[in-house]
Amino acid sequence: MNVNWMEEVKKRESALLKDLQTFLRIPSVRNEHTATQEAPLGKEVYEALCYMLKRGEEEGFVTKNVDGLAGHLEMGNGKEIVGILCHVDVVPPGDGWTFDPFGGTIVDGKIYARGALDDKGPTIAAFYAMKIVKELGLPLAKRVRMIIGTDEESDWQCVERYFQTEQMPTLGFAPDADFPIIYAEKGIADFDLIQQPTNERSEYILLSFHAGRRYNMVPDFAEAALRLTDGEAMKERFLAFLQAHDIDGEAHSDGETFTLRVRGVSAHGMEPNNGVNAGLWLVKFLENEQLDPQANAFVRFVSQYFHEDTRGRQLGVAHTNEELGDLTINVGVLSYTNEHGGKIGINLRYPVTNDIVHTKKMIEQVAERHAFALTDFSNSAPHYVAKDHPLVQTLQRVYEEQTGERASLLAIGGGTYARSLQAGVAFGPLFPNRPDVAHQKDEHMFIDDLLKATAIYAQAIYELAK
């Protein structure tokens, strides 16, 4: 059947943008403080899930809510399922935005908001793609199911719970990365390094230190509170340090408490070098200051093994692969209190050729030598779909027909919901040569790209399910 997919998208452009703005205005950051039995990840995330389920009902899709952690919208008939894996949760907005991070502001052909690119914009694009196929009455031999997650940016509780009871799609894609097609993804391990507290004390006390909100984000803010007697002298040294390294920050005193702050640049944890880690720069300054023994041990360990080393060289775990590139380490969370010592929250991504068991053992050995323990280790293995798989070949053809450009195959350091499927790839929405602003301030998506992605998804859905 000959369909002008872009023409069909253009007919629905106004409604699509209106729905997207409404969706983006829901601040769906995971929030344990507003969690209930009905909304286990917080009322804001649950509101976003319910919004998509409600829109699905309004369009005549079959919908299901799976314990407030996930859900789906479905159309068509048949034993086999084409899956489209999306998520409604977003990372915290961070600081320094030009526009309201939950405003859905449209300026100069772009829509700005946290989630515009990752992953609410693509979710609405895929939703409208399903809507177009349904409204055109195109014959399908398979069911098409949009699976909606709520915890992609954290622990993936959503898909874990979903697939305990729901059918695994035969094949599918996640609109949550780059075009043309991502057929291979690095493995992802999250873990903590916990300092063993000591009872040694001195006159100069690091009372607290905190940086970062998510393991898969580069921290853009860090703060340390100290008790000391020569705050003005430290302030002079700190300001000189900031100037020497072209880092933004400030210092002030409040009685006996002296506070240092550093502002960095947020970025996705899959490539820490795209950001400026505020926590690691503040640690770098503190390692040369006279602190209590416990604090000294914390800042010196962090600085020695992680400052300006995102490849694990100092830890002895560096590894690279021709297709997937380097093993990367993002220090996403740093925290310290005088009472309990320090914690380092790490997001480690590795190629399929890396032995993660050996890597973990090496890090444990280094940590133990410095009185740290590795805890709360979780691992998602690398994901791979053969280049000659019918899913890959179909999506390549669709992309080339819609764009007129070659659909090269990509391997990435990011982790997408595609790895939840036995046969799944990541497919857009970021077009080649566009800046990747996911997890960054002023996250946005070009409206032209959003519409083009919708046309691509509509044709892909039809071709995979017909």
Side-chain angles (χ1 to χ4, degrees):
M1 183 174 290
N2 187 20
V3 177
N4 186 326
W5 298 102
M6 181 54 78
E7 185 177 287
E8 295 298 330
V9 174
K10 283 288 189 179
K11 292 176 185 177
R12 299 161 176 84
E13 177 179 354
S14 178
L16 185 155
L17 291 175
K18 182 178 179 182
D19 277 348
L20 178 54
Q21 285 181 308
T22 302
F23 194 27
L24 291 170
R25 287 166 184 160
I26 303 170
S28 51
V29 178
R30 176 173 167 171
N31 186 354
E32 285 81 1
H33 299 296
T34 63
T36 64
Q37 185 172 356
E38 179 185 55
L41 299 176
K43 71 179 184 66
E44 300 86 355
V45 169
Y46 187 65
E47 182 184 351
L49 172 64
C50 290
Y51 175 77
M52 288 306 303
L53 295 176
K54 181 174 181 289
R55 283 296 290 117
E57 289 177 3
E58 291 169 351
E59 296 299 335
F61 298 126
V62 175
T63 66
K64 184 170 185 178
N65 183 333
V66 181
D67 295 342
L69 284 170
H72 68 235
L73 319 174
E74 185 176 281
M75 67 179 184
N77 299 290
K79 290 184 178 180
E80 296 186 35
I81 297 175
V82 174
I84 308 164
L85 273 72
C86 305
H87 67 92
V88 301
D89 60 309
V90 298
V91 297
D95 303 313
W97 282 67
T98 306
F99 306 100
D100 179 354
F102 295 110
T105 306
I106 296 176
V107 177
D108 296 332
K110 306 170 192 173
I111 185 162
Y112 289 84
R114 177 59 84 222
L117 185 62
D118 180 17
D119 185 45
K120 290 180 174 177
T123 298
I124 290 294
F127 175 76
Y128 268 79
M130 288 179 64
K131 177 173 153 67
I132 288 168
V133 172
K134 182 176 185 295
E135 290 176 349
L136 292 178
L138 299 175
L140 303 179
K142 302 170 186 171
R143 285 176 282 161
V144 178
R145 177 180 290 182
M146 175 183 282
I147 299 169
I148 305 167
T150 61
D151 194 31
E152 193 271 351
E153 299 293 1
S154 297
D155 300 327
W156 288 36
Q157 296 177 52
C158 44
V159 288
E160 181 180 344
R161 171 64 190 89
Y162 183 84
F163 286 117
Q164 287 173 358
T165 56
E166 304 305 313
Q167 183 179 344
M168 173 66 69
T170 311
L171 48 74
F173 63 87
D176 188 20
D178 298 346
F179 281 125
I181 299 161
I182 293 169
Y183 76 102
E185 301 178 9
K186 286 181 181 177
I188 303 174
D190 286 335
F191 56 92
D192 294 328
L193 298 177
I194 305 295
Q195 185 182 28
Q196 310 304 308
T198 67
N199 293 318
E200 296 180 79
R201 293 292 179 262
S202 74
E203 181 182 359
Y204 299 94
I205 302 294
L206 177 61
L207 301 173
S208 65
F209 184 110
H210 66 87
R213 304 174 181 89
R214 290 284 191 276
Y215 288 41
N216 64 347
M217 291 179 70
V218 176
D220 61 2
F221 178 80
E223 181 177 276
L226 305 100
R227 186 169 71 236
L228 41 86
T229 55
D230 59 347
E232 285 304 312
M234 179 180 280
K235 180 177 180 179
E236 288 184 17
R237 293 192 297 273
F238 181 61
L239 295 179
F241 173 85
L242 296 178
Q243 185 174 13
H245 296 285
D246 195 24
I247 301 292
D248 186 28
E250 62 191 36
H252 70 88
S253 60
D254 179 15
E256 290 188 351
T257 302
F258 189 70
T259 303
L260 305 176
R261 296 189 180 99
V262 170
R263 295 179 186 85
V265 178
S266 180
H268 197 294
M270 68 179 177
E271 180 41 272
N273 291 343
N274 288 341
V276 177
N277 194 313
L280 294 181
W281 277 106
L282 184 49
V283 156
K284 182 65 176 175
F285 169 75
L286 289 173
E287 76 165 333
N288 294 313
E289 294 297 311
Q290 183 181 358
L291 302 175
D292 58 282
Q294 177 176 273
N296 258 329
F298 173 69
V299 299
R300 289 177 179 174
F301 175 73
V302 174
S303 184
Q304 178 181 348
Y305 288 100
F306 301 105
H307 179 70
E308 294 197 312
D309 181 5
T310 63
R311 268 46 185 177
R313 296 184 184 94
Q314 290 297 320
L315 289 168
V317 298
H319 182 90
T320 193
N321 169 272
E322 184 176 348
E323 284 188 298
L324 281 163
D326 296 337
L327 175 152
T328 62
I329 291 178
N330 181 56
V331 178
V333 177
L334 285 167
S335 64
Y336 176 93
T337 64
N338 184 40
E339 295 80 13
H340 301 108
K343 170 183 169 181
I344 310 164
I346 292 174
N347 178 255
L348 183 150
R349 298 172 186 245
Y350 61 95
V352 66
T353 49
N354 182 75
D355 182 351
I356 189 60
V357 175
H358 178 70
T359 298
K360 180 187 176 191
K361 184 177 180 181
M362 293 284 288
I363 295 173
E364 282 178 323
Q365 290 175 351
V366 172
E368 286 172 4
R369 291 202 300 269
H370 295 270
F372 281 77
L374 191 154
T375 66
D376 295 327
F377 184 87
S378 66
N379 178 51
S380 176
H383 178 69
Y384 173 87
V385 177
K387 294 180 180 181
D388 60 355
H389 192 286
L391 168 66
V392 174
Q393 294 187 333
T394 298
L395 296 183
Q396 280 184 298
R397 177 171 56 81
V398 168
Y399 181 85
E400 289 174 354
E401 289 178 5
Q402 285 294 319
T403 65
E405 299 172 0
R406 182 172 173 270
S408 56
L409 300 181
L410 309 174
I412 65 163
T416 75
Y417 266 172
R419 67 176 61 211
S420 299
L421 299 177
Q422 291 168 358
V425 299
F427 190 44
L430 189 67
F431 286 94
N433 301 317
R434 291 295 199 199
D436 186 357
V437 290
H439 294 206
Q440 297 183 27
K441 67 179 182 181
D442 288 341
E443 178 182 344
H444 62 269
M445 190 166 183
F446 286 84
I447 290 173
D448 284 348
D449 290 357
L450 181 69
L451 301 180
K452 189 191 301 184
T454 305
I456 292 171
Y457 294 149
Q459 183 182 352
I461 289 167
Y462 174 60
E463 297 286 352
L464 292 171
K466 69 181 181 180

